Amino acid sequence: ETGVTQTPRHLVMGMTNKKSLKCEQHLGHNAMYWYKQSAKKPLELMFVYSLEERVENNSVPSRFSPECPNSSHLFLHLHTLQPEDSALYLCASSQVWAGEGGDEQFFGPGTRLTVL
Amino acid sequence: AQKVTQAQTEISVVEKEDVTLDCVYETRDTTYYLFWYKQPPSGELVFLIRRNSFDEQNEISGRYSWNFQKSTSSFNFTITASQVVDSAVYFCALSLWGKSTFGDGTTLTVKP
């Protein structure tokens, strides 16, 4: 596979469930990102990992828990979510998490999450 | 704090028309990067262009062109002779120190 892949593509879960979103990049990049895209809000950056270390956490509720076991894989663990967490969750990667922020990001197709 | 404004929520044109998508940004930093991404119905954002704050040269790539003006903090995107395949949501983004701020996006519909 090439580029950035995400699984599952669609997920429906109850508020008491625990699930995980998976992202894998095949580009040899060192930085990976999680974004949330809601119907009426712009893309919201959730987490950034650079060389497997979390470098950005934008006041995301603790019911979202990221994990980056290596530079190619990124997970988002979900538990006790709320209906307002329903959104498209996008994963992205870039060559580096540059100090000047100059690298373009490559995005996966997203996971469409519905919380009942 | 950074902010990106895409005032046009939706634009509809007929094929072969030219269309310009507006982007206005705010930042106090002097070093930053601007991006345009395209999000087709499939969902994944596709990178179109990157411009750093010190390079105000306009750029043309096929039917796409970008006009960067620091004086007005704008980074507008023009599609010439639009095609149905250009229908998508287009996002402008401002990036500095590894953090990207996206605009709300402009939904472009190109009708045959």
Side-chain angles (χ1 to χ4, degrees), chain A residues 23-55:
Chain A
C23 175
E24 185 173 359
Q25 58 97 358
H26 310 268
L27 301 167
H29 289 168
N30 291 319
M32 296 187 76
Y33 310 75
W34 276 119
Y35 287 88
K36 176 183 178 182
Q37 186 177 25
S38 305
K40 297 184 178 181
K41 289 186 178 180
L43 277 162
E44 301 173 71
L45 179 64
M46 300 175 72
F47 303 103
V48 181
Y49 276 82
S50 175
L51 297 172
E52 300 146 46
E53 181 179 335
R54 191 190 308 179
V55 295

Side-chain angles (χ1 to χ4, degrees), chain B:
Chain B
Q2 296 74 240
K3 185 178 180 181
V4 176
T5 301
Q6 293 179 254
Q8 304 149 308
T9 305
E10 296 181 8
I11 299 177
S12 182
V13 299
V14 177
E15 208 169 18
K16 298 185 182 177
E17 286 185 18
D18 298 347
V19 58
T20 295
L21 310 181
D22 298 332
C23 174
V24 175
Y25 63 92
E26 296 176 28
T27 179
R28 293 182 179 177
D29 285 73
T30 56
T31 302
Y32 53 87
Y33 288 79
L34 295 164
F35 297 82
W36 274 97
Y37 290 89
K38 174 183 180 180
Q39 187 178 35
S42 58
E44 59 190 275
L45 277 76
V46 177
F47 164 77
L48 295 177
I49 190 171
R50 171 186 60 202
R51 174 68 71 221
N52 75 54
S53 53
F54 299 107
D55 181 4
E56 288 193 68
Q57 274 192 329
N58 291 330
E59 183 160 336
I60 298 174
S61 177
R63 296 184 297 107
Y64 295 170
S65 62
W66 291 269
N67 183 355
F68 176 30
Q69 292 195 342
K70 278 181 87 168
S71 60
T72 56
S73 297
S74 66
F75 187 42
N76 297 336
F77 173 31
T78 297
I79 302 175
T80 303
S82 60
Q83 300 176 0
V84 173
V85 294
D86 296 326
S87 297
V89 182
Y90 291 86
F91 291 93
C92 179
L94 168 67
S95 181
L96 64 164
W97 301 106
K99 185 171 181 176
S100 293
T101 300
F102 286 77
D104 290 356
T106 296
T107 300
L108 173 65
T109 302
V110 181
K111 300 177 180 177

